Amino acid sequence: MLLPSSLTRTALMLAGFSLALGACDSGAEAPGQEQAGLGGEKANLLGEIDPSYAGELMPAINVTDPDGKQLNLGALQGRLVLLNLWATWCAPCKVEMPMLNDLAKENEALKVLTVSQDFSGLEKVPAFLDENELDQLEPWLDPDGKVAVAVGSSVLPTTILYDEAGVEVWRVVGDYDWSSAETQEAIAAVLGN
């Protein structure tokens, strides 16, 4: 049973999440972003690494793949995890996806976990990943936005780095250049390289 303060907080988070989802993009379908076309768009990526939530635990919430397989995020302890919340209709998310795919390909010590917040993700997410040749990213789905509520973010994309103990190190709210030297340095610092 939720206490009144918990209920109010949850309702406000869901309302904020709904507003942010509507603000990210008009909802119109747009073609996937080609990696070659990202040059100019990378200059407009304004997100910053924010350590102010450091110490928060990864939520033990289940996400699902299109086949119905479930993954409990809390079970990922023991591995460095970069959790990305995104949607197929979110333009900044589309810009980030090729960079996240490359990051997953280049760094075996890092699990890049993309979790779609699409309400109809079962139909759209696998097709989006296939069409854009994002072969390192798995189609995990969270259509109810439970993960976003649990991590306290109503903005897409939101990406959080968790250490091997499942503890948040830092997060980026909004779009970010995942191919940057800053990214490599921030991840290496956690790995102790």
Side-chain angles (χ1 to χ4, degrees), residues 47-72:
E48 296 181 4
I49 291 177
D50 176 8
S52 66
Y53 290 85
E56 297 289 325
L57 287 177
M58 184 183 307
I61 293 177
N62 288 337
V63 294
T64 308
D65 76 1
D67 296 326
K69 177 181 165 189
Q70 292 194 346
L71 171 67
N72 186 293

Side-chain angles (χ1 to χ4, degrees), residues 12-28 85-93 115-121 142-149 153-158:
L12 289 173
M13 290 287 294
L14 287 173
F17 183 64
S18 296
L19 288 172
L21 292 179
C24 183
D25 191 52
S26 66
L85 304 179
W86 72 289
T88 59
W89 47 261
C90 171
C93 300
V115 179
S116 167
Q117 304 297 286
D118 284 89
F119 298 120
S120 58
D142 177 34
D144 298 326
K146 291 178 184 176
V147 178
V149 171
S153 183
S154 61
V155 176
L156 292 180
T158 291

Side-chain angles (χ1 to χ4, degrees), residues 31-144:
Q33 185 67 45
E34 298 285 331
Q35 178 68 30
L38 291 178
E41 292 189 36
K42 283 185 182 180
N44 296 322
L45 302 176
L46 303 175
E48 296 181 4
I49 291 177
D50 176 8
S52 66
Y53 290 85
E56 297 289 325
L57 287 177
M58 184 183 307
I61 293 177
N62 288 337
V63 294
T64 308
D65 76 1
D67 296 326
K69 177 181 165 189
Q70 292 194 346
L71 171 67
N72 186 293
L73 300 180
L76 295 172
Q77 289 184 6
R79 184 150 190 213
L80 193 64
V81 175
L82 189 68
L83 173 67
N84 173 263
L85 304 179
W86 72 289
T88 59
W89 47 261
C90 171
C93 300
K94 289 180 181 183
V95 172
E96 284 190 336
M97 296 305 279
M99 292 181 280
L100 289 169
N101 192 70
D102 289 345
L103 188 61
K105 189 181 300 185
E106 296 164 0
N107 194 332
E108 292 179 16
L110 177 69
K111 170 73 174 169
V112 177
L113 184 70
T114 54
V115 179
S116 167
Q117 304 297 286
D118 284 89
F119 298 120
S120 58
L122 187 61
E123 297 86 32
K124 295 180 179 182
V125 172
F128 176 85
L129 295 177
D130 287 343
E131 289 168 12
N132 291 284
E133 300 177 3
L134 301 170
D135 59 345
Q136 301 297 308
L137 306 178
E138 299 169 287
W140 293 106
L141 311 170
D142 177 34
D144 298 326

